[in-house]
Amino acid sequence: MATLRQSALLIAQGRQKTNVVPPSSKISDFFGSNVFGVKQMKESLAPSVFKKVIEATERGGKIDPSTAEEIASAVKTWALSKGVTHYTHWFQPLTGSTAEKHDSFFDAHAGIEKFKGSALVQQEPDASSFPNGGIRSTFEARGYTAWDPSSPIFIFDKTLCVPTIFVAYTGEALDYKTPLLKSMEAINTAAVEVCQLFDRNVKKVTPSLGVEQEYFVIDKALFATRPDLVMSGRTVFGHNPARGQQLEDHYFGSIPTRVKDFMMDFEIEALKLGIPVSTRHNEVAPGQFEVAPLFEEINKAVDHNQLLMDLMDKVAEKHSLKVLFHEKPFAGVNGSGKHNNWSLITDTGVNLFQPSNSARENLQFLTFVVATVKAVYDYADLLRSSIASASNDFRLGANEAPPAIMSVFLGSTLTGVLDELEKNGNVKIEKGDNMYMKLGISKIPEIILDNTDRNRTSPFAFTGNKFEFRAVGSSANSAGPMTVLNVIVAEVLRTMVKDVEKEISAGKEKKIAVVNVLRKYIKDSKKIRFEGDGYSDEWAAEAEKRGLSNLKSTPYALDTYLDKKTADLFSKHNVLSAIELHARHEIMLENYLKKVQIEARVMGDLALNHVIPTAIQYQNKLIENANGLKGLGLDNTAAIDTIKEVSKHIESLKHNVMDMIDTRRKLNKEDDIAKRAKGYCDNVKEAYFDKIRYAVDKLELLVDDEYWPLVKYREMLFIK
Ligand code: ADP
Ligand code: MG
């Protein structure tokens, strides 16, 4: 009888191509057609109402009930005209995915389709099943969702989706969006103050984000035969293929046809949703790819990234493919990240991380660069914990991934400029001097935009006109790390203004006051700058010497959320209260625990139900063979040796699985969730996962391929 694996392989190899036809050869014909955007609003709203909406979306104004009523009515008409029957508030609870609860437009009592302004603005989903970290005890499990007009309403899967925040009745945030919006306000306030030192016209600063999303694609039938992938998103076992990524021929190689059709298909749907997808290519590992949209305002970019992931998942189904967003679905090959390209843009149209031809603007540019470097230095642990998850732990510090040590790469040019500024600390600048020339900051632009000055091994790199936070995991919601980044930079900017003002009141000219503060900050935060190979062991040693943290695993990194420094920071900037922080800490620990628990269980089940029985079956075959040889009077040592080897691995496997189950049982009695999570990390994951995997992967090599039940790495990675 064929194994499930063999049938799945036959199915995967016999797939037909799915034909994808774009609605028009011109993207502009359908871009944003599923979004109730500016164009649709202008067409359907009275000019006075339209003005109010634009004001609310662009300048954060309030939308009054009668305006909401008019918008709801226009949205309903638009949605019905597109065959939409249901609506939902769309939000991002702390589970890490998106949530929705669909209601019909049809009102059976009235016999007509209805969508009231109040339904647009606020909803009360039955939210008791979403994680809340103890904020809402179940008897008063009430939370509500409230419309976020700064992110456009869209149609997904024949449902009208209204982007919303999700908060408890007592006001605490239960989602990712609420603190992100507050952090935008925090950095806006702080950055405008700093900009005012250079340009009085700046009234608003908005963070921008462009997310490069990496992912793996495998055939759906192959996916379905791997309980570990289905349950935990990663393969807990699997021997490395003979041909992995060592040939490096996959990167920028041609994209397999089936995957290309899938890409085209989801890109078309993404474009209809107003997601400006622009690049697609192969990544380093076989079976790995990347999609990147153009950058947008951070809140929209985060929503779009979450939506894109949902969309890819759905469209993949049509192509009989499965998308893996896990950070490390396959051991030994490259993992997946979500590179967060971040910058700050003023309402006067200046990217504050863009070097310019104007010396004055360059000083402003350096101010923001230095503040960001200092923020990463001051809050390295918090930034690290913002990307902590059970799945990202497998990636950080592994193949082709940034380490868990936070550092900043600036490139040789910018490093030179900062070093110069620091070194020339004593250069006297007289009134009337061309300070910019004297300090070497009038000539940054031409050189800095040199694209070859790149370092792909840094977790946080300056890339010409933006910073790229590369340690973010591919499955993460970017709102988490971006909230932290906004807040820590806001904090430094605020202190900076105070420090500059001090210098000014001590009689310094403004520019010189700024330069003096920059020099101090450059010196203070120097240790966080690293230009070398971030993947090397030398760097880990060097970082330790410098006193930088290397928080390798999540439950330890998350301790940072309990620090007074963290609580003070978030409450000062009005982003998260102490209660909200505690709740988040608990939810993240819970998520971690659940993930490790699930993996441990899957490992045990697979070992006991799949691997060991298969190995024994093969062993019996070998025993028959050994006896047969002996009966014929022939040498059977080779057969006996293999029997012994198989036995040895079966023994160790069984033994370790049993011990691991025992350890888990004991740990489950631990009431303190942080201790339990750390116990799972050290005494379950670290203590057993590798040992168990080692035995299984050895058996995979020994056991007859015909018998092996689990689809192998070479099959998952190369069959498309
Ligand atoms: P790279 O610089 O990594 O080679 P790209 O130039 O294609 O690649 O940019 C990667 C991502 O960074 C894209 O999503 C792009 O839109 C985004 N990006 C470019 N400029 C900015 C900016 N000023 N702020 C935020 N993201 C940006
Ligand atoms: Mg990049």
Side-chain angles (χ1 to χ4, degrees):
M1 199 188 78
T3 61
L4 189 56
R5 167 171 161 241
Q6 285 151 349
S7 341
L9 286 170
L10 281 178
I11 295 173
Q13 277 157 336
R15 297 272 189 215
Q16 298 297 313
K17 194 173 141 51
T18 315
N19 224 15
V20 180
V21 187
S24 160
S25 57
K26 260 174 47 216
I27 290 174
S28 54
D29 285 344
F30 59 92
F31 183 72
S33 59
N34 284 342
V35 176
F36 192 68
V38 175
K39 186 170 147 257
Q40 287 79 0
M41 286 195 276
K42 199 164 184 176
E43 278 167 13
S44 60
L45 294 172
S48 61
V49 178
F50 176 69
K51 215 177 118 210
K52 278 191 201 159
V53 183
I54 293 297
E55 238 165 58
T57 53
E58 286 176 4
R59 281 175 284 281
K62 270 230 170 320
I63 289 183
D64 57 73
S66 77
T67 310
E69 211 60 62
E70 299 212 32
I71 299 167
S73 162
V75 168
K76 183 190 75 185
T77 309
W78 173 73
L80 291 176
S81 79
K82 290 180 135 322
V84 170
T85 53
H86 285 67
Y87 64 90
T88 181
H89 274 194
W90 181 83
F91 56 103
Q92 297 163 36
L94 296 166
T95 44
S97 52
T98 57
E100 40 200 81
K101 175 193 158 233
H102 298 187
D103 284 304
S104 174
F105 284 124
F106 183 67
D107 179 333
H109 289 302
I112 50 165
E113 272 72 20
K114 275 191 179 167
F115 187 45
K116 294 179 88 62
S118 52
L120 164 69
V121 172
Q122 192 167 316
Q123 291 269 295
E124 197 177 318
D126 171 28
S128 50
S129 53
F130 293 113
N132 60 68
I135 283 179
R136 294 166 303 137
S137 39
T138 23
F139 60 85
E140 45 131 17
R142 289 172 67 189
Y144 66 90
T145 51
W147 182 29
D148 164 24
S150 66
S151 187
I153 296 172
F154 59 90
I155 294 170
F156 184 64
D157 208 14
K158 292 275 168 227
T159 301
L160 182 80
C161 299
V162 179
T164 60
I165 58 165
F166 177 38
V167 288
Y169 249 81
T170 38
E172 283 87 10
L174 298 172
D175 68 345
Y176 281 107
K177 192 193 264 280
T178 309
L180 178 68
L181 291 173
K182 290 182 172 178
S183 77
M184 288 172 73
E185 205 32 57
I187 197 155
N188 172 41
T189 313
V192 166
E193 265 191 74
V194 172
C195 287
Q196 293 264 325
L197 294 169
F198 303 92
D199 181 357
R200 291 258 159 221
N201 295 318
V202 174
K203 298 282 185 282
K204 190 174 175 192
V205 173
T206 314
S208 290
L209 174 66
V211 180
E212 297 166 68
Q213 174 74 53
E214 292 173 334
Y215 59 94
F216 280 84
V217 173
I218 73 169
D219 186 273
K220 194 176 122 191
L222 304 186
F223 172 82
T225 64
R226 294 281 316 212
D228 48 355
L229 272 182
V230 175
M231 303 295 292
S232 73
R234 85 178 177 102
T235 53
V236 295
F237 304 138
H239 203 278
N240 258 320
R243 174 181 157 216
Q245 66 192 58
Q246 57 274 58
L247 297 175
E248 300 212 336
D249 54 353
H250 185 73
Y251 196 58
F252 292 125
S254 73
I255 298 169
T257 323
R258 261 180 83 201
V259 178
K260 200 151 162 190
D261 287 337
F262 159 62
M263 286 175 167
M264 262 175 67
D265 207 357
F266 83 69
E267 281 170 5
I268 291 167
E269 294 309 313
L271 289 163
K272 285 187 196 163
L273 283 164
I275 305 172
V277 285
S278 63
T279 62
R280 59 162 98 117
H281 59 75
N282 286 351
E283 266 301 323
V284 180
Q288 194 189 26
F289 307 91
E290 181 193 294
V291 54
L294 284 182
F295 69 95
E296 300 176 278
E297 182 221 286
I298 200 162
N299 174 35
K300 246 191 247 176
V302 168
D303 283 2
H304 277 165
N305 177 251
Q306 287 300 113
L307 190 52
L308 184 62
M309 289 166 76
D310 287 351
L311 184 65
M312 287 166 72
D313 212 40
K314 249 182 105 44
V315 176
E317 188 75 22
K318 239 171 78 185
H319 296 260
S320 305
L321 292 168
K322 185 75 198 166
V323 186
L324 309 177
F325 288 114
H326 192 287
E327 283 75 3
K328 198 77 181 176
F330 305 102
V333 290
N334 196 15
S336 299
K338 185 180 299 224
H339 297 180
N340 280 211
N341 294 272
W342 173 89
S343 71
L344 295 170
I345 298 179
T346 68
D347 55 348
T348 53
V350 175
N351 172 359
L352 294 165
F353 294 114
Q354 171 84 59
S356 102
N357 291 318
S358 132
R360 182 179 56 93
E361 276 185 3
N362 270 339
L363 185 58
Q364 177 176 278
F365 156 75
L366 285 174
T367 304
F368 279 91
V369 168
V370 170
T372 307
V373 174
K374 176 103 173 4
V376 177
Y377 175 70
D378 288 352
Y379 292 97
D381 287 353
L382 184 56
L383 200 58
R384 160 67 182 101
S385 60
S386 78
I387 50 153
S389 69
S391 47
N392 211 15
D393 278 0
F394 287 104
R395 166 179 170 256
L396 296 180
N399 284 51
E400 301 253 351
I405 311 161
M406 290 297 112
S407 69
V408 183
F409 170 86
L410 291 177
S412 58
T413 314
L414 200 45
T415 298
V417 174
L418 295 201
D419 287 348
E420 188 95 341
L421 253 180
E422 186 196 343
K423 199 170 70 222
N424 294 345
N426 299 322
V427 168
K428 258 210 116 37
I429 297 164
E430 314 279 346
K431 269 215 150 86
D433 268 359
N434 184 337
M435 173 191 85
Y436 303 110
M437 287 281 272
K438 248 184 154 162
L439 292 172
I441 54 180
S442 56
K443 54 173 192 310
I444 313 169
E446 327 84 79
I447 4 182
I448 227 168
L449 287 173
D450 179 4
N451 246 322
T452 57
D453 196 11
R454 286 289 178 98
N455 179 329
R456 306 231 162 247
T457 66
S458 173
F460 197 95
F462 181 73
T463 50
N465 60 356
K466 60 192 184 285
F467 279 96
E468 185 171 334
F469 190 19
R470 303 205 183 97
V472 184
S474 49
S475 70
N477 184 319
S478 290
M482 289 300 98
T483 299
V484 167
L485 183 57
N486 287 341
V487 177
I488 63 178
V489 175
E491 171 62 17
V492 174
L493 291 173
R494 259 169 87 168
T495 320
M496 200 174 221
V497 170
K498 289 211 186 87
D499 289 343
V500 170
E501 278 164 359
K502 256 187 239 154
E503 293 270 331
I504 293 175
S505 27
K508 295 278 186 333
E509 196 192 326
K510 193 160 70 185
K511 303 189 281 222
I512 296 174
V514 170
V515 168
N516 286 348
V517 172
L518 291 189
R519 280 171 175 156
K520 180 170 180 310
Y521 283 26
I522 291 169
K523 205 177 275 165
D524 290 350
S525 60
K526 206 168 166 184
K527 283 194 195 138
I528 203 78
R529 280 160 49 196
F530 179 64
E531 301 285 303
D533 180 1
Y535 298 168
S536 67
D537 294 337
E538 292 78 50
W539 168 230
E542 160 75 15
E544 196 178 342
K545 245 193 264 160
R546 293 189 189 184
L548 300 176
S549 317
N550 187 358
L551 300 167
K552 287 198 180 123
S553 48
T554 294
Y556 292 94
L558 292 180
D559 280 344
T560 319
Y561 279 87
L562 300 176
D563 292 348
K564 184 170 179 305
K565 184 177 164 190
T566 307
D568 288 349
L569 173 81
F570 280 114
S571 71
K572 178 175 167 189
H573 293 273
N574 191 28
V575 171
L576 288 169
S577 68
I579 296 177
E580 289 171 317
L581 262 182
H582 266 274
R584 259 150 228 264
H585 179 243
E586 205 153 287
I587 290 166
M588 286 185 283
L589 284 172
E590 249 168 52
N591 283 344
Y592 177 84
L593 257 174
K594 272 191 207 138
K595 294 257 166 69
V596 180
Q597 246 162 2
I598 290 172
E599 286 189 11
R601 277 200 206 114
V602 168
M603 274 189 161
D605 290 356
L606 281 179
L608 299 179
N609 300 327
H610 290 63
V611 177
I612 294 179
T614 308
I616 289 176
Q617 199 189 347
Y618 179 58
Q619 204 181 30
N620 285 336
K621 205 87 199 169
L622 289 173
I623 292 170
E624 244 174 65
N625 171 263
N627 282 335
L629 288 169
K630 196 174 162 202
L632 293 172
L634 296 171
D635 180 12
N636 65 0
T637 36
I640 287 176
D641 284 350
T642 317
I643 294 168
K644 279 188 190 154
E645 216 178 325
V646 171
S647 295
K648 184 182 80 189
H649 293 305
I650 292 177
E651 266 310 304
S652 120
L653 186 53
K654 179 125 192 200
H655 191 82
N656 280 316
V657 168
M658 288 314 179
D659 283 358
M660 180 173 74
I661 293 174
D662 221 38
T663 312
R664 269 165 43 209
R665 224 173 257 143
K666 283 189 203 125
L667 273 169
N668 290 342
K669 298 206 180 90
E670 170 62 65
D671 284 333
D672 183 319
I673 186 165
K675 281 197 194 136
R676 197 157 74 242
K678 285 173 185 166
Y680 261 89
C681 174
D682 299 334
N683 306 330
V684 176
K685 184 188 158 207
E686 296 297 328
Y688 291 106
F689 280 18
D690 282 352
K691 277 194 227 161
I692 291 173
R693 179 173 195 138
Y694 178 80
V696 173
D697 290 358
K698 281 287 173 208
L699 285 171
E700 184 186 318
L701 285 185
L702 288 168
V703 171
D704 186 345
D705 186 63
E706 288 263 334
Y707 291 9
W708 196 252
L710 297 170
V711 173
K712 295 185 172 179
Y713 266 35
R714 60 160 193 273
E715 294 153 350
M716 285 186 280
L717 293 170
F718 292 104
I719 295 178
K720 239 154 258 124

